Amino acid sequence: MACVAPGDRPADSYPDSLFTFQRVGGNALVVRRGFSVREWATDLPDARGMALAPDGAVWVALKQMGRVVRLQADGTRRDMFAGLRTPHGIAFRGDTVWIGETHQVIRSAPPYERTDTVVRGLPEYLGHNTRTLAFLGDTLLVSIGSSCNLCDERDPRRATIMAYDLDGRNERPYATGLRNSVGLVRHPATGTLWATNNDRDRLGDDLPPDRVNRIVAGGWYGWPQCYLPDTPNPEYRAQAERCADAIGPAIELPAHTAPLGLTFWRGALYIALHGSWDRSFPVGYKIVRVPFADSEPAGPVEDFIVGWQVGRQAWGRPVDVLPLPDGSLLISDDQGGRIYRVTPEEP
């Protein structure tokens, strides 16, 4: 049975025994006890995907600006690449950095003075335009979202995670029926791939649930015909029998919360909920976590950090989460143009 997240609640309803109010950059966040949050970097407009380089620097994609910047713990920053088209996903394989633009995947090796195009001609222009990257052995995975809310795609690479050899050849689908899987992460012990998924709109405030999937090679996750196993989308009732074959979510999240980045940290899966744009009352805008045991979800979805949303307004939108070797966790915020650092407090 999938884990299901609790509904949203006012920030002042969180019990003092479990949460603390912390002032961060002139605003207030509600944070699980035992952790502190501060601004780690600012002036990063539309900060999206992050990756940790072998030298300990953090690379960040600034999507709308078409740039990738390199940040060091001492505050030093350097523009690495500019003129890119909506960069989002960044991944390192050794000291070579790979970057997902909306239309291609590029890579660069030290001293990072030039780039090579590895995958060309990815679908573009319509719909979801981020490309997230991950590696499985010698296979490059690229997540490609749908072109629409609900439709039969003309390009079979849409609404999939595609696989490529490291030279960009041998293109093939790895998993399909995934409307928009922005976050990809491998479990540190098993190597199993986990992915967020943003489901469809226009079925009301509470349907269908957003989700986290355990990704299996060759798996079909239902879109567009189904939003859950045995549950067809109304527009596809004539194909309802297909829904029996759809793989269900490992973790269910409230509809329209827009889960993006996710990572494993301190025995749990942490998920950035970017927040809704098309719901009568917005939800999301927070970090949640799911305890894991024996490499599987082992408890309910819990709020971890909330407060970026005040009433109907949001002053920040979490995008990605990245653990650092010192035991802390970074959170990127594309609306505020910030990166936050979460640090476990000493007992």
Side-chain angles (χ1 to χ4, degrees), residues 23-86:
R23 300 295 298 183
V24 183
N27 296 284
L29 290 174
V30 181
V31 185
R32 281 271 173 179
R33 283 199 176 274
F35 299 88
S36 61
V37 181
R38 66 173 179 84
E39 287 184 340
W40 188 77
T42 59
D43 192 24
L44 295 167
D46 204 34
R48 301 284 294 193
M50 300 182 289
L52 182 67
D55 65 358
V58 174
W59 292 49
V60 185
L62 306 184
K63 180 184 167 190
Q64 297 302 330
M65 298 189 72
R67 294 162 48 200
V68 171
V69 300
R70 177 181 181 272
L71 308 176
Q72 293 181 241
D74 63 3
T76 303
R77 66 175 65 189
R78 174 187 170 195
D79 284 344
M80 302 304 297
F81 303 107
L84 306 181
R85 290 173 58 184
T86 60

Side-chain angles (χ1 to χ4, degrees), residues 38 53 86 92 104 109 113 117 128 142 145 147 152 194 211 216 225 232 239 258 288 300 308 324 328-329 342:
R38 66 173 179 84
T86 60
F92 276 87
Q104 65 184 10
E113 294 176 348
T117 302
H128 300 108
V142 182
S147 67
D152 294 315
W194 295 77
R211 59 202 279 182
V216 297
Q225 288 83 5
Q239 301 180 38
V288 298
W308 283 286
L324 295 184
S328 63
L329 179 74
V342 184

Side-chain angles (χ1 to χ4, degrees), residues 16-328:
D16 291 342
S17 60
L18 296 178
F19 292 87
T20 63
F21 278 83
Q22 299 182 21
R23 300 295 298 183
V24 183
N27 296 284
L29 290 174
V30 181
V31 185
R32 281 271 173 179
R33 283 199 176 274
F35 299 88
S36 61
V37 181
R38 66 173 179 84
E39 287 184 340
W40 188 77
T42 59
D43 192 24
L44 295 167
D46 204 34
R48 301 284 294 193
M50 300 182 289
L52 182 67
D55 65 358
V58 174
W59 292 49
V60 185
L62 306 184
K63 180 184 167 190
Q64 297 302 330
M65 298 189 72
R67 294 162 48 200
V68 171
V69 300
R70 177 181 181 272
L71 308 176
Q72 293 181 241
D74 63 3
T76 303
R77 66 175 65 189
R78 174 187 170 195
D79 284 344
M80 302 304 297
F81 303 107
L84 306 181
R85 290 173 58 184
T86 60
H88 173 84
I90 306 174
F92 276 87
R93 183 177 171 86
D95 58 5
T96 297
V97 65
W98 301 58
I99 301 169
E101 299 181 75
T102 191
H103 65 303
Q104 65 184 10
V105 178
I106 60 175
R107 66 184 173 192
S108 182
Y112 308 115
E113 294 176 348
R114 61 182 298 271
T115 63
D116 298 314
T117 302
V118 183
V119 179
R120 302 176 185 273
L122 296 178
E124 52 181 325
Y125 299 121
L126 298 174
H128 300 108
N129 60 13
T130 63
R131 307 290 174 253
T132 308
L133 312 179
F135 292 101
L136 284 176
D138 290 333
T139 298
L140 168 67
L141 300 180
V142 182
S143 178
I144 303 173
S146 68
S147 67
C148 58
N149 176 49
L150 194 74
C151 64
D152 294 315
E153 294 284 5
R154 295 183 178 181
D155 190 323
R157 297 173 297 176
R158 286 283 192 178
T160 72
I161 297 173
M162 296 296 294
Y164 300 85
D165 293 346
L166 295 181
D167 59 5
R169 300 179 181 177
N170 192 20
E171 179 182 70
R172 66 270 187 199
Y174 187 81
T176 59
L178 296 162
R179 181 175 174 272
N180 190 28
S181 290
V182 178
L184 302 177
V185 69
R186 295 180 63 187
H187 190 278
T190 66
T192 303
L193 185 68
W194 295 77
T196 55
N197 192 62
N198 290 225
D199 218 301
R200 65 164 297 177
D201 302 311
R202 302 175 192 148
L203 278 186
D205 279 356
D206 301 316
L207 287 176
D210 284 336
R211 59 202 279 182
V212 175
N213 294 311
R214 182 190 296 102
I215 302 297
V216 297
W220 179 65
Y221 291 82
W223 190 88
Q225 288 83 5
C226 327
Y227 65 80
L228 287 173
D230 300 316
T231 309
N233 278 306
E235 299 88 341
Y236 286 86
R237 285 196 181 99
Q239 301 180 38
E241 69 281 355
R242 288 204 62 189
C243 298
D245 299 324
I247 299 174
I251 299 166
E252 287 187 20
L253 300 162
H256 311 298
T257 52
L260 298 186
L262 75 172
T263 196
F264 289 97
W265 183 59
R266 296 177 63 85
L269 180 67
Y270 289 75
I271 309 162
L273 303 186
H274 196 229
S276 54
W277 62 271
D278 60 342
R279 193 178 185 277
S280 58
F281 192 90
V283 292
Y285 308 97
K286 60 184 177 181
I287 305 294
V288 298
R289 69 181 182 186
V290 182
F292 264 57
D294 298 324
S295 306
E296 295 292 332
V301 180
E302 304 172 338
D303 287 342
F304 181 64
I305 303 176
V306 304
W308 283 286
Q309 176 185 353
V310 181
R312 291 181 172 272
Q313 302 299 316
W315 56 271
R317 303 187 76 182
V319 176
D320 201 10
V321 278
L322 177 69
L324 295 184
D326 65 3
S328 63

